[in-house]
Amino acid sequence: MRSALVALAALAALAALAVGAAPGTPYTVGYSARGLEIDGQPRLLTAGAIHYPRSAPAMWDSLMKKAKAGGLNTIDTYVFWNVHEPAKGQYDFATDRANLPLFLETAQRNGLFVMLRIGPYVCAEWNYGGFPQWLRHEPGIVFRTYSEPFMREMKAFVGKVLDVVAPFMPERGGPVVALQIENEYGNLQGVFGSDGDRYAEWCGHTAKGFNASVPWVMCSQYTHAVNVIPTHNGFYADGQLARFHRAYPQFPDMWTELWPAWFQRWGEPAPHRPIEDIAYAAAKWFAYGGTYAAYYMYHGGTNFGRTSGPFITTSYDYEGFIDEYGLENWPKYLHLRDLHRVLLDNERFLTLSPVPAAVKLGGSSSGPAATAHVYGTPGTEYLAFLVNADAKRSVRAEFDGRKLDLPRWSVTIVRRARGARPAVVYNTARLSAAAGSARPAAFEPVAGSVRPGGIRWRATSSRPAPHARVLRSARPLEHISVTDDRTDYLWYRTRVAVPEQCAQPGRALLVLEDAGDVAFAYLGGEFAGLQHGQHDRLATFTFSVPAAVAASGNRSVDIAILSQTMGMAHNQLNMEAYARGLLGRVTLCGRDITEAGWEMQPGLEREQLPEDPPVGPGGGVAEGHAWRSFDPRADAQPAGQMRWYALELDSTALAAGGGDDRYGVDLASMTKGQLWLNGHHLGRYWLRRAPSKETHRPCQWCGYGGDYWPDHVCRRGCGDFTQRFYHLPRSYLDPAGRNVLYVLEEVGGRPEDIVLARRTAPPPPPARGAFAASWLACAVFVVCSAAALVGLAAAAAVAIRQWRAHRGYAALPAREHAD
């Protein structure tokens, strides 16, 4: 027993020495064909995207700890220009979700590298692709091409970001190991012709001119651009590597976006990608020579406020490995964690060996050949990837003296230690017992979350508020040029005589041509309906004229159109010219009223400050802002009358579940609108139902095998609301104070049925995989046998090497080659 204690003490001392190489120690970053190099050592980087504006700062530490426990050593994030420079020259890198330095500090504290993708165009299904709205007003600007105004502003912002993140670069011991300039430009470059080529070259020269101490990348860059590493995006990327190795033998194989699922639009069922297929894509990438892979998204998060792109849901869950609320997504999290651990535990084979040629396996059945990709010394010590790319048939193959069953569309990883027999350590198609029995998270309602009698309401008028800014023009003005994208809403108003044709059958129509994204129509003060487009395309909206109006020929009638944007374009050509609102003809019963003379007023009454109204003269509530107690029996919301609801939450009920609760707002009783809590804009909501399983083919079959595409298979939630629950971050609640949820309902609903729901997930069964079992066996051996001292030094060296591979960016010691 004494010898065992001595052994444990020695092992602890060696571990303490390893911990001493803590974050903050300066190091260098370079690259070779076998990966990004940390202090001259090529590294295997398992990365995941976590976007700091899509989660509350209080969540960041937990997200990173879970990412690291899931086998990641790198965090990937875009840098969002419109978050940090909302007005030209006015920067914010400190407020709430804009606190990029805090995000990087959190990664550093958790021993994680960071891939910082500045762009500054990001796409990301984010409002305007990350561009600030003021950028479109720069004279002569054309986005993302050789345009002097654009390049000037882009370079200024990238330089500002580099100034902000300077303390987090490797020469100061920080976590940033790579930077990105531009984003997915290969998809657009050819459209701009020679100006696209010049711009791509300018990006490379500009990146180099900043003299950063880490490599720059350009993802999905199909032509050569100087001074940058071209990287890959997609559901699969291994097929690109043979061409890449020929074109760029000096560059590492980097996959900046491995898509484990897809984003979701209002009215769509949820995309789902089978776990086995994600693991297959990732393992095959490393088999073919990859050394960096980043899941987009690892944690998707929430499109708070007005940050989502056109018709993109407020939830950006992306079916990531950590869900929108910060809980592990079982069993996906576990199955890929096991893969990451195998890869990192055997990093030396992958980074210190050249990319092996594929070897056809003997004994495989007919059909596409199963192949082996062996890193290390065949027959002695190695890590081998056995790939069966047949989408339909499993094969039985022989490898290193063993006959193995290789499931269809799978990668089997075999490890052979020196002096031992080969052993299967992972298979992409077979979940472990823990992963296979893990249950996903779910919602449970929180009883009493809204105080009894704690609902108030007030209407929002369609008439201009006193002293409101009103513009006048002969014809409707373009929506975004008036609102400056500071609000979704713009009122268009006119007064015209009712044409006599309105009395004719089938002619009583108000038609808005080339309009978008959403329009609410009011004629003579009567609500005529809501029409909406789809995705980011313009549409023609047609409304039936109310009978009373149609019968009042030649009498004047007030027409009010509330135009609404649902997020600005995030990936279109010529985004500087993006336009919305009433862009085409407006006709009433066939008569063109486009030039009838219009008033335009941006925003809704009290939209920017939905909290309790200001106090007027004499201490009373200011006129027009009075709230009323809500009585569901007497105060049902008429269709089309926009209303504010204020719901007082019960802090006692919310605290009953403990301090780690995660909450969503269940809005199944509402229709469409927006949410605020304690000054935080939680986002848009829309209770649109997805197509039913019977009518939507991608809902009808799901499986893995063959190339995955989200529009073809595996859609879930068919016939259900696209999004029913809306994230309410715990840190935005005041545990001791008054919490008021403000709901702007645009159409009609039952606020009395709104309830908060708690997001819960049972922990998975304890893992008994090879990784855990090896440590358990080691502990038993040390305790039970003094002979363990003989192998302590070697065991400690392995332990430290594995620990450092997991811990992140601390420099690794020199390691032996695989042979």
Side-chain angles (χ1 to χ4, degrees):
M1 177 61 74
R2 183 177 179 182
S3 61
L5 292 175
V6 170
L8 291 173
L11 188 58
L14 287 170
L17 289 174
V19 174
T25 304
Y27 61 99
T28 63
V29 181
Y31 65 85
S32 68
R34 294 308 298 137
L36 290 183
E37 294 186 341
I38 309 300
D39 282 339
Q41 295 282 348
R43 293 296 304 272
L44 196 73
L45 298 181
T46 51
I50 299 175
H51 293 163
Y52 53 95
R54 283 177 158 142
S55 53
M59 299 172 62
W60 293 344
D61 186 68
S62 174
L63 292 174
M64 292 189 190
K65 283 181 167 55
K66 289 179 179 180
K68 190 166 184 179
L72 300 192
N73 56 21
T74 306
I75 300 298
D76 170 297
T77 186
Y78 284 127
V79 178
F80 297 79
W81 193 352
N82 52 14
V83 169
H84 298 298
E85 194 180 4
K88 186 175 181 179
Q90 298 178 18
Y91 298 102
D92 179 7
F93 286 91
T95 304
D96 195 33
R97 299 187 303 275
N99 198 337
L100 176 59
L102 177 60
F103 185 81
L104 297 176
E105 179 186 320
T106 306
Q108 179 171 342
R109 188 171 60 249
N110 282 284
L112 291 162
F113 294 124
V114 173
M115 161 71 84
L116 197 64
R117 302 175 68 189
I118 301 177
Y121 168 72
V122 299
C123 186
E125 293 73 57
W126 187 263
N127 190 52
Y128 217 25
F131 288 141
Q133 207 279 331
W134 58 262
L135 192 65
R136 71 202 298 262
H137 300 305
E138 294 296 299
I141 198 166
V142 182
F143 291 177
R144 305 186 68 201
T145 188
Y146 201 83
S147 162
E148 291 289 351
F150 178 74
M151 295 186 298
R152 178 189 68 240
E153 299 301 334
M154 172 178 165
K155 183 176 180 180
F157 178 71
V158 173
K160 178 65 177 180
V161 173
L162 292 176
D163 288 342
V164 170
V165 305
F168 303 97
M169 300 301 284
E171 64 270 25
R172 301 192 189 180
V176 176
V177 291
L179 299 166
Q180 178 176 292
I181 193 162
E182 246 300 337
N183 185 51
E184 301 174 326
Y185 192 61
N187 303 329
L188 193 64
Q189 181 174 335
V191 178
F192 288 113
S194 60
D195 277 351
D197 298 337
R198 293 171 68 199
Y199 172 68
E201 286 296 300
W202 174 85
C203 287
H205 288 297
T206 300
K208 183 179 180 180
F210 286 117
N211 294 317
S213 57
V214 300
W216 289 83
V217 307
M218 286 180 71
C219 74
S220 295
Q221 183 56 36
Y222 308 132
T223 64
H224 178 68
V226 296
N227 307 316
V228 297
I229 303 171
T231 65
H232 311 274
N233 286 6
F235 290 107
Y236 310 90
D238 57 273
Q240 305 170 29
L241 288 183
R243 180 198 64 82
F244 183 83
H245 291 156
R246 290 193 300 270
Y248 304 107
Q250 76 277 28
F251 286 148
D253 301 324
M254 300 180 68
W255 192 356
T256 35
E257 293 186 18
L258 191 176
W259 303 328
W262 204 235
F263 63 92
Q264 189 175 12
R265 298 181 176 95
W266 304 109
E268 290 182 345
H272 167 70
R273 186 179 181 188
I275 304 166
E276 299 90 341
D277 191 60
I278 302 167
Y280 171 77
K284 196 176 180 187
W285 166 259
F286 287 102
Y288 280 49
T291 57
Y292 176 97
Y295 299 98
Y296 187 99
M297 302 290 296
Y298 197 78
H299 164 75
T302 306
N303 290 318
F304 293 108
R306 302 175 51 256
T307 58
S308 64
F311 291 93
I312 307 297
T313 55
T314 297
S315 172
Y316 197 66
D317 182 72
Y318 224 95
E319 208 184 49
F321 299 82
I322 304 173
D323 73 12
E324 182 182 4
Y325 296 81
L327 295 173
E328 296 90 339
N329 186 354
W330 318 123
K332 176 186 291 187
Y333 176 92
L334 293 173
H335 189 48
L336 274 296
R337 178 204 65 183
D338 293 344
L339 171 61
H340 304 150
R341 286 180 169 177
V342 168
L343 294 171
L344 293 177
D345 288 345
N346 295 280
E347 179 182 23
R348 65 191 179 95
F349 292 109
L350 299 174
T351 58
L352 299 179
S353 300
V355 179
V359 177
K360 183 177 178 180
L361 288 175
S364 58
S365 58
S366 61
T371 56
H373 308 254
V374 183
Y375 291 84
T377 306
T380 304
E381 187 177 19
Y382 57 77
L383 189 74
F385 298 81
L386 312 184
V387 178
N388 178 13
D390 193 311
K392 297 181 179 180
R393 287 169 292 189
S394 299
V395 300
R396 185 167 180 80
E398 184 176 331
F399 176 74
D400 198 8
R402 290 192 60 182
K403 291 190 179 295
L404 298 171
D405 292 318
L406 308 181
R408 64 181 179 86
W409 201 251
S410 74
V411 178
T412 301
I413 302 180
V414 177
R415 169 76 164 92
R416 180 166 185 172
R418 194 177 298 271
R421 298 192 64 213
V424 174
V425 292
Y426 185 81
N427 185 281
T428 61
R430 293 170 178 156
L431 274 62
S432 67
S437 59
R439 292 182 294 159
F443 288 102
E444 58 181 30
V446 179
S449 54
V450 178
R451 287 187 179 277
I455 305 178
R456 294 169 297 144
W457 71 278
R458 61 179 175 83
T460 294
S461 174
S462 63
R463 298 185 298 275
H467 312 297
R469 179 168 71 96
V470 177
L471 287 76
R472 292 175 175 84
S473 174
R475 63 177 298 135
L477 299 177
E478 191 274 324
H479 181 126
I480 301 170
S481 64
V482 178
T483 64
D484 209 29
D485 197 36
R486 296 177 181 175
T487 172
D488 285 350
Y489 305 101
L490 177 65
W491 285 104
Y492 292 95
R493 300 183 182 89
T494 190
R495 185 174 178 83
V496 298
V498 177
E500 293 182 356
Q501 298 95 307
C502 288
Q504 299 175 13
R507 299 293 299 275
L509 299 172
L510 173 68
V511 180
L512 315 177
E513 298 179 1
D514 291 332
D517 295 320
V518 178
F520 303 79
Y522 302 81
L523 289 87
E526 187 173 345
F527 180 58
L530 172 157
Q531 296 281 309
H532 61 81
Q534 190 69 17
H535 304 172
D536 50 8
R537 296 189 292 271
L538 295 174
T540 294
F541 299 150
T542 302
F543 301 91
S544 296
V545 177
V549 173
S552 60
N554 291 323
R555 294 184 182 178
S556 294
V557 63
D558 290 321
I559 297 177
I561 307 295
L562 180 62
S563 172
Q564 182 184 17
T565 53
M566 293 294 292
M568 292 176 67
H570 63 284
N571 64 350
Q572 284 188 342
L573 183 66
N574 300 127
M575 288 169 60
E576 69 281 350
Y578 187 74
R580 281 299 179 265
L582 305 188
L583 303 179
R585 290 198 315 156
V586 181
T587 62
L588 178 64
C589 305
R591 178 186 294 174
D592 191 331
I593 62 171
T594 313
E595 304 281 350
W598 294 78
E599 292 184 344
M600 281 131 295
Q601 178 198 357
L604 297 178
E605 184 183 6
R606 300 288 293 166
E607 177 190 355
Q608 302 302 324
L609 289 172
E611 68 269 17
D612 290 345
V615 174
V621 172
E623 183 178 356
H625 292 284
W627 290 85
R628 308 175 188 177
S629 294
F630 179 74
D631 182 349
R633 294 169 296 181
D635 298 325
Q637 182 175 351
Q641 183 194 80
M642 293 194 172
R643 278 190 182 179
W644 286 103
Y645 293 102
L647 288 73
E648 188 168 351
L649 305 182
D650 191 321
S651 299
T652 303
L654 298 179
D660 293 330
D661 290 344
R662 293 158 171 84
Y663 295 109
V665 185
D666 185 351
L667 293 176
S669 64
M670 307 303 283
T671 304
K672 184 176 182 297
Q674 302 190 33
L675 290 173
W676 283 259
L677 173 75
N678 296 343
H680 297 278
H681 191 177
L682 302 182
R684 304 180 182 101
Y685 69 87
W686 197 352
L687 278 298
R688 283 188 68 187
R689 287 194 181 274
S692 68
K693 185 173 182 178
E694 292 73 22
T695 61
H696 194 62
R697 187 169 183 178
C699 295
Q700 296 167 13
W701 182 85
C702 187
Y704 74 94
D707 289 348
Y708 168 83
W709 187 256
D711 292 338
H712 298 161
V713 295
C714 292
R715 291 281 181 161
R716 291 180 168 181
C718 307
D720 297 337
F721 291 124
T722 297
Q723 186 178 349
R724 172 177 173 175
F725 297 94
Y726 294 79
H727 186 199
L728 193 160
R730 187 175 68 251
S731 59
Y732 290 169
L733 288 163
D734 184 346
R738 184 167 177 258
N739 295 288
V740 180
L741 180 70
Y742 291 94
V743 181
L744 171 61
E745 172 54 56
E746 299 167 354
V747 180
R750 302 185 309 280
E752 67 273 21
D753 292 332
I754 294 176
V755 65
L756 264 60
R758 186 177 288 112
R759 181 77 166 168
T760 61
R768 290 290 182 183
F771 183 86
S774 65
W775 286 99
L776 178 60
C778 181
V780 171
F781 183 73
V782 169
V783 172
C784 297
S785 175
L789 285 172
V790 176
L792 179 61
V798 171
I800 292 170
R801 182 166 62 240
Q802 290 184 349
W803 178 84
R804 288 192 172 190
H806 287 295
R807 69 185 290 270
Y809 58 79
L812 287 176
R815 294 168 297 175
E816 69 275 16
H817 286 268
D819 55 1

